[in-house]
């Protein structure tokens, strides 16, 4: 069992209350299941509100599962993007190999919902987290946890806290790059880390990996070249460790965020079938986290699976809905959403359309120019006082799902964000 479906299903029995943004007071005291039984629509909620599109998520699940399968790689989607056990379950049902998380606490949340294979894409040096990992692994041998190491000092710190443990934790040696994030800065340093893990009595060398998205931020020639060089080094590092005999009976090679999974496949997918690496069975794992939600900003501009780059593109599944609360100038509307509601770190929201069937369209050239804590500045060049009147609702395209979900404890799921009156079909609790 990849996840405990009964525990996930029980989330619908949670009681709604004032801590859940956008819900009307009439919903307080009801369970999620009871509120949904009333067949609510989006306009039954207050603004601002973030929504997820069920039809788009279903499409994205199928697109990515088919793409990974045809490429010969496995998926361990980065669960920190959503911190939604319901969505983790859907990804696993669609064929995901496991779920990736970023901190010891996140791994504990995942395990509380029955996740039995977690890639912890970070170093685990917190003593409480290490003791938990050792105890959980000892009590449940079927549970697989892979954490990362990028220095000999990290290996020593883990050994210090695991001195009394009676299990060996599985670790992935992380290769980084100049001006990147974590990760050994050179292949030589990564080999030293791998050797230290091989000689450890508390750790087992399970594979190698890294994150190419820290080395580039676009699809320029220079950016793509930097990613390709890095992935070539990962492949060389894997072969070197295999030839040294430092792996156990299998190996994992993991890379791939949501920006360059195509390059990861080009450079690493062949390792899964390679006979020259001392016959070590190798699983190549992508950790793409944003594909399920996609966006109307950063990922729509860089993903190889975005519209215009493939016959079966990903679709943006998240939108913001905000109400006009002030028209102090002819060419300015203030909406009731802000930084506390919608992501803004990888691009400001984009006005897409007015909600409802009988409202005038947004003028051409309308642009969001700023977000305050609780206001959106919608500029309307050449607009009139009749555009975006007070009380009207604007649908906004958003960028970067990784910083959208953490602003909402409960996210409504609608059937179709293009419908005249979208229907609410589910709610997703998040755990941040």
């Amino acid at each position: 069992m990849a996840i405990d479906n009964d525990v996930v299903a029980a989330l619908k029995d949670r009681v709604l209350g004032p801590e859940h943004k956008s819900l009307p007071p009439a919903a307080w005291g009801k369970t999620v299941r009871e509120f949904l039984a009333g067949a609510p629509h989006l306009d039954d909620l207050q603004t601002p509100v973030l929504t997820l599109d069920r039809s788009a998520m279903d499409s994205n699940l199928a697109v990515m599962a088919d793409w990974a399968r045809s490429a010969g790689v496995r998926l361990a989607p980065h669960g920190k993007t959503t911190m939604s056990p319901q969505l983790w379950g859907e990804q696993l049902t669609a064929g995901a190999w496991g779920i990736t998380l970023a901190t010891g606490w996140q791994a504990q949340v995942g395990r509380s919902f029955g996740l039995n294979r977690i890639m912890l894409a970070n170093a685990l040096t917190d003593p409480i987290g290490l003791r938990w990992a050792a105890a959980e692994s000892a009590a449940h041998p079927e549970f697989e946890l892979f954490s990362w190491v990028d220095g000999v000092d990290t290996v020593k710190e883990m050994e210090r806290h695991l001195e009394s443990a009676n299990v060996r934790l599985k670790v992935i040696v992380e290769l980084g790059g100049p001006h990147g994030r974590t990760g050994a800065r050179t292949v030589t340093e990564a080999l030293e880390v791998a050797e230290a893990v091989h000689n450890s009595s508390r750790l087992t060398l399970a594979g190698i990996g890294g994150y190419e998205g820290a080395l580039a931020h676009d699809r320029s020639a220079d950016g793509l070249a930097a990613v390709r060089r890095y992935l070539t080094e990962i492949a060389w590092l894997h072969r070197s460790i295999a030839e040294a005999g430092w792996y156990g009976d299998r190996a994992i090679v993991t890379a791939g965020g949501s920006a360059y999974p195509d390059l990861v496949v080009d450079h690493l997918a062949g390792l899964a079938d390679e006979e020259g690496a001392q016959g070590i069975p190798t699983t190549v794992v992508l950790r793409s986290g944003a594909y399920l939600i996609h966006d109307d900003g950063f990922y729509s501009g860089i993903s190889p699976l975005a519209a215009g780059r493939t016959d079966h593109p990903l679709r943006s599944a998240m939108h913001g809905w905000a109400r006009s609360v002030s028209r102090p100038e002819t060419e300015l509307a203030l909406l009731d959403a802000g930084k506390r509601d919608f992501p803004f770190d990888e691009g400001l929201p984009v006005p897409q359309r007015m909600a409802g069937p009988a409202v005038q369209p947004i003028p051409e050239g309308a642009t969001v120019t700023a977000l305050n804590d609780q206001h959106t500045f919608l500029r309307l060049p050449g607009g009139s006082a009749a555009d975006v009147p007070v009380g009207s609702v604007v649908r906004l395209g958003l960028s970067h799902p990784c910083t959208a979900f953490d602003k909402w404890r409960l996210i409504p799921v609608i059937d179709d964000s293009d419908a005249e009156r979208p229907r609410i079909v589910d709610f997703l609790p998040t755990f941040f």
Side-chain angles (χ1 to χ4, degrees), residues 161-173:
H161 292 297
L162 294 170
E163 187 174 2
S164 61
N166 58 359
V167 296
R168 295 165 69 102
L169 296 186
K170 301 180 181 71
V171 296
I172 303 290
V173 172

Side-chain angles (χ1 to χ4, degrees), residues 33-77:
R33 199 182 309 276
E34 289 169 341
F35 186 64
L36 289 174
H41 288 77
L42 179 60
D43 55 17
D44 291 317
L45 303 182
Q46 303 174 83
T47 56
V49 62
L50 177 79
T51 63
L52 300 177
D53 186 312
R54 182 70 266 174
S55 62
M57 288 193 294
D58 288 345
S59 175
N60 293 345
L61 276 169
V63 165
M64 194 63 178
D66 290 345
W67 186 84
R69 190 180 304 111
S70 64
V73 297
R74 306 302 301 271
L75 280 174

Side-chain angles (χ1 to χ4, degrees), residues 49-177:
V49 62
L50 177 79
T51 63
L52 300 177
D53 186 312
R54 182 70 266 174
S55 62
M57 288 193 294
D58 288 345
S59 175
N60 293 345
L61 276 169
V63 165
M64 194 63 178
D66 290 345
W67 186 84
R69 190 180 304 111
S70 64
V73 297
R74 306 302 301 271
L75 280 174
H78 216 320
K80 73 171 174 60
T81 300
T82 65
M83 286 304 291
S84 167
Q86 287 167 258
L87 294 183
W88 299 343
E90 292 182 17
Q91 291 170 307
L92 291 164
T93 298
W97 173 86
I99 297 294
T100 299
L101 294 165
T103 69
W105 171 79
Q106 288 179 3
Q108 292 154 21
V109 171
R111 185 60 181 154
S112 75
F113 283 92
L115 289 181
N116 66 0
R117 181 181 285 144
I118 295 173
M119 175 74 69
L120 179 56
N122 211 341
L124 183 58
T125 58
D126 179 85
I128 295 173
L130 282 168
R131 288 194 294 269
W132 168 82
E136 193 70 13
S137 298
H140 303 279
E142 74 283 1
F143 171 50
E144 291 188 286
L145 175 69
F146 305 90
S147 64
W148 289 16
V149 293
D150 67 353
V152 174
D153 54 345
T154 303
V155 173
K156 292 179 179 178
E157 182 69 3
M158 294 182 74
E159 288 178 322
R160 184 169 74 87
H161 292 297
L162 294 170
E163 187 174 2
S164 61
N166 58 359
V167 296
R168 295 165 69 102
L169 296 186
K170 301 180 181 71
V171 296
I172 303 290
V173 172
E174 181 189 5
L175 178 67

Side-chain angles (χ1 to χ4, degrees), residues 144-367:
E144 291 188 286
L145 175 69
F146 305 90
S147 64
W148 289 16
V149 293
D150 67 353
V152 174
D153 54 345
T154 303
V155 173
K156 292 179 179 178
E157 182 69 3
M158 294 182 74
E159 288 178 322
R160 184 169 74 87
H161 292 297
L162 294 170
E163 187 174 2
S164 61
N166 58 359
V167 296
R168 295 165 69 102
L169 296 186
K170 301 180 181 71
V171 296
I172 303 290
V173 172
E174 181 189 5
L175 178 67
H179 313 297
R181 200 164 61 186
T182 53
R185 288 305 193 247
T186 67
V187 172
T188 299
E189 291 173 353
L191 284 171
E192 293 174 355
V193 179
E195 185 174 16
V197 173
H198 173 67
N199 293 329
S200 172
S201 61
R202 293 290 179 267
L203 305 176
T204 295
L205 181 57
I208 60 103
Y211 175 54
E212 74 288 346
L215 305 178
H217 208 66
D218 55 35
R219 282 191 168 263
S220 66
D222 288 346
L224 295 178
V227 171
R228 290 190 178 104
R229 285 194 299 270
Y230 172 69
L231 295 172
T232 298
E233 290 187 336
I234 283 186
W236 191 92
L237 175 61
H238 166 67
R239 294 186 182 110
S240 298
I241 292 174
E243 290 171 3
W246 293 342
Y247 288 133
D249 57 358
R250 64 181 177 124
I252 294 168
V253 176
T254 177
S258 298
Y260 308 104
D262 53 332
L263 300 188
V264 174
V265 166
D266 290 345
H267 287 76
L268 302 182
L271 297 177
D273 302 312
E274 192 171 61
E275 297 180 359
Q278 300 299 310
I280 299 294
T282 301
T283 302
V284 178
V285 179
L286 293 180
R287 305 187 314 279
S288 308
Y291 74 86
L292 178 57
I293 307 303
H294 199 48
D295 70 4
D296 285 302
F298 176 71
Y299 287 112
S300 68
I302 199 171
S303 170
L305 298 177
R309 296 194 177 99
T310 177
D311 293 335
H312 302 285
L314 299 173
R315 295 162 49 192
S316 178
M318 70 173 179
H319 298 89
W321 306 79
R323 193 178 306 273
S324 175
V325 295
S326 176
R327 293 288 276 106
E329 301 170 15
T330 303
E331 297 186 343
L332 173 64
L334 278 302
L335 311 181
D336 61 357
K339 295 178 181 179
R340 300 179 187 276
D341 308 301
F342 302 147
F344 58 94
D345 62 315
E346 290 285 3
L348 292 170
V350 178
Q352 294 180 326
R353 71 172 180 89
M354 306 294 288
V359 183
Q360 292 186 20
I362 296 175
E364 184 177 352
T367 306

